Amino acid sequence: MKYIDDIPVWGVHEDNTLEQAKVCARSAERFALMADGHLGYGVPIGGVIAAESRISPTAVGFDIACGNKAVRLDMPGSELRENIHRIMDDIWNTLSFGVGRKNNEANEHPLLGRNAHPGWDTEAAAPLKRKAEAQLGTIGSGNHYVDLFTDEQDRVWVGVHFGSRGLGHGIATWFLKAAGAKDGMMVDPVWLDVQSDLGAQYIAAMQLGGEYAYAGRDWVCARVARLLGAEVMEEIHNHHNFAWHEQHDGRMLWVCRKGATPAFPGQRGFVGGTMGEVSVILEGSESTDDAIREAQRAAMFSTVHGAGRVMGRKQAAGVFDRKTGACKREGLVKPEMMNDWLRQSNVVLRGGGLDESPHCYKRLPEVLAEQGETVRVLHTLTPVGVAMAGANEFDPYKD
């Protein structure tokens, strides 16, 4: 950890990411930047931003409650590897990947019932209930995925990454407009007074998005377990685009983590790598070392949520005319580059585009090393199968 203009920063970042962090820190009471950070809409991905009586819809972001869940199954890795092509076909044909998709299976949940959550009474969320009903348990596009792993004991894990789908995006859009947010990347984050009517509505709608995202990830993990004929033995579940009311250094703060995983001492998290590299189960350290504890407090007990991008999507995949398909600008990542990486990693891929190739990301072990001993790795997960939305999905909010 180092301090840049009094901001605790982990890892090495591009100048524009650091500049965005400085802009955010001016209006926040506390700010920190994790090692997987990169430029985001108004607040950098990997940013942790907090205030006592204000909450920032910019910092939570468009994909409210995007997060990770991992479950360990009672299935040996040998069985997974032996049947991986059939299993990945089953996952691809059963689950819904992509923008605006509906779940092909009935998915009733108490959260969708009458008077099930005060968030449904907000002006932002009320019109979105039918869409939420249709999309519960769908995965979306961009870097959202369903992965199958084996750990160091050759046990099988399922890992998923996605958020609150159209519900969260609609809520975020409504409140950002109501708060007067400006378009663009390098803009000041907007804040809402938590005591105001708009602030109270936002908290209720955001928390609805959080419960909805949890329900969706629960459903997908359970459905994959059923496809594999296995039982869930252990589970780890976290948001990383959310705001929590937490105590830090004797003060109650609204802590917004945008692409950052909560990591209080003993709290476990699932942090994904790229489609062709390891992911991890980790936990916040329970160290008594003063320097480590100080670093944890500076991070507001947060850590990375992934490897962190180093290449933009258009930079990686190129720019194509959406009508004609003609290449307007060639990308830096070629199909053979991604295929070679996956072949060497023995990963079976369904879907996935060049903008999600491992070449577009930092290396997760190096990113975790930058976080130092604030966290410790419990399990290292090696990918066997990866399913993501197809390469031709258009989504302006993938990041």
Side-chain angles (χ1 to χ4, degrees):
M1 182 189 72
K2 55 184 175 293
Y3 283 89
I4 299 176
D5 289 0
D6 295 326
I7 300 172
V9 175
W10 285 258
V12 178
H13 302 278
E14 295 182 346
D15 289 343
N16 58 7
T17 305
L18 293 173
E19 184 58 35
Q20 191 174 57
K22 293 174 186 177
V23 170
C24 292
R26 287 201 296 262
S27 62
E29 292 171 40
R30 291 186 62 172
F31 187 89
L33 183 62
M34 303 299 102
D36 59 340
H38 61 87
L39 199 67
Y41 293 98
V43 173
I45 311 302
V48 185
I49 183 168
E52 189 166 3
S53 59
R54 296 171 296 145
I55 190 168
S56 175
T58 313
V60 174
F62 280 101
D63 193 0
I64 293 173
C66 187
N68 287 345
K69 182 175 184 179
V71 299
R72 179 171 60 83
L73 305 181
D74 63 344
M75 180 181 188
S78 57
E79 183 180 344
L80 175 66
R81 289 186 293 272
E82 182 179 350
N83 299 288
I84 188 59
H85 289 279
R86 175 187 59 77
I87 288 170
M88 294 311 297
D89 286 342
D90 288 345
I91 288 174
W92 185 250
N93 292 326
T94 301
L95 302 178
S96 297
F97 297 85
V99 179
R101 296 295 195 273
K102 298 179 180 179
N103 195 330
N104 296 322
E105 301 181 13
N107 187 3
E108 298 180 1
H109 191 278
L111 187 63
L112 301 172
R114 187 176 180 85
N115 301 321
H117 194 284
W120 290 121
D121 297 329
T122 63
E123 188 176 345
L128 301 172
K129 194 168 188 181
R130 182 166 294 182
K131 175 185 284 189
E133 290 172 349
Q135 290 189 339
L136 186 65
T138 62
I139 291 89
S141 66
N143 59 353
H144 297 155
Y145 56 74
V146 175
D147 286 2
L148 300 178
F149 304 96
T150 55
D151 66 10
E152 61 284 334
Q153 299 178 48
D154 205 34
R155 302 177 299 185
V156 173
W157 292 75
V158 180
V160 302
H161 172 217
F162 60 92
S164 51
R165 308 294 289 111
L167 172 64
H169 184 271
I171 290 170
T173 301
W174 192 95
F175 280 100
L176 286 167
K177 182 178 179 180
K182 297 178 181 178
D183 292 333
M185 303 286 276
M186 303 297 284
V187 297
D188 289 341
V190 295
W191 295 87
L192 299 173
D193 185 331
V194 297
Q195 298 297 325
S196 69
D197 177 66
L198 197 60
Q201 282 195 56
Y202 179 73
I203 291 170
M206 179 201 68
Q207 290 175 341
L208 168 66
E211 292 192 33
Y212 179 86
Y214 257 63
R217 294 190 292 262
D218 286 344
W219 188 89
V220 169
C221 286
R223 189 68 183 91
V224 173
R226 281 170 51 205
L227 283 172
L228 272 59
E231 296 291 330
V232 173
M233 307 303 292
E234 181 179 0
E235 56 186 276
I236 295 99
H237 204 169
N238 303 97
H239 299 315
H240 51 236
N241 280 17
F242 205 67
W244 293 262
H245 200 208
E246 299 173 348
Q247 183 171 321
H248 292 273
D249 296 326
R251 299 173 64 199
M252 291 302 298
L253 301 174
W254 282 98
V255 180
C256 306
R257 294 182 176 89
K258 188 173 190 179
T261 304
F264 286 87
Q267 184 178 16
R268 297 184 301 167
F270 162 49
V271 175
T274 74
M275 63 169 71
E277 298 171 280
V278 298
S279 297
V280 297
I281 305 295
L282 50 68
E283 70 175 2
S285 296
E286 301 189 69
S287 175
T288 57
D289 183 276
D290 288 344
I292 296 171
R293 293 287 292 172
E294 174 56 33
Q296 289 178 302
R297 286 193 292 270
M300 288 171 275
F301 297 95
S302 311
T303 192
V304 298
H305 83 305
R309 295 192 72 91
V310 295
M311 193 184 302
R313 296 185 180 279
K314 293 179 180 179
Q315 185 184 12
V319 178
F320 295 84
D321 189 294
R322 291 185 61 202
K323 293 183 178 178
T324 67
C327 180
K328 299 164 68 174
R329 189 178 77 215
E330 195 170 338
L332 298 178
V333 180
K334 311 302 180 189
E336 56 271 20
M337 293 168 59
M338 186 173 83
N339 293 337
D340 284 347
W341 194 308
L342 295 177
R343 185 163 46 249
Q344 292 176 29
S345 301
N346 293 316
V347 172
V348 174
L349 175 66
R350 294 291 182 269
L354 298 178
D355 58 352
E356 281 300 320
S357 173
H359 303 84
C360 303
Y361 288 87
K362 302 174 184 179
R363 310 280 68 85
L364 180 59
E366 296 174 8
V367 168
L368 288 170
E370 294 284 359
Q371 297 293 136
E373 296 181 45
T374 59
V375 292
R376 70 184 188 101
V377 173
L378 301 176
H379 300 294
T380 300
L381 309 182
T382 301
V384 180
V386 172
M388 311 179 76
N392 296 323
E393 290 286 341
F394 174 73
D395 181 357
Y397 299 108
K398 283 183 179 180
D399 287 328

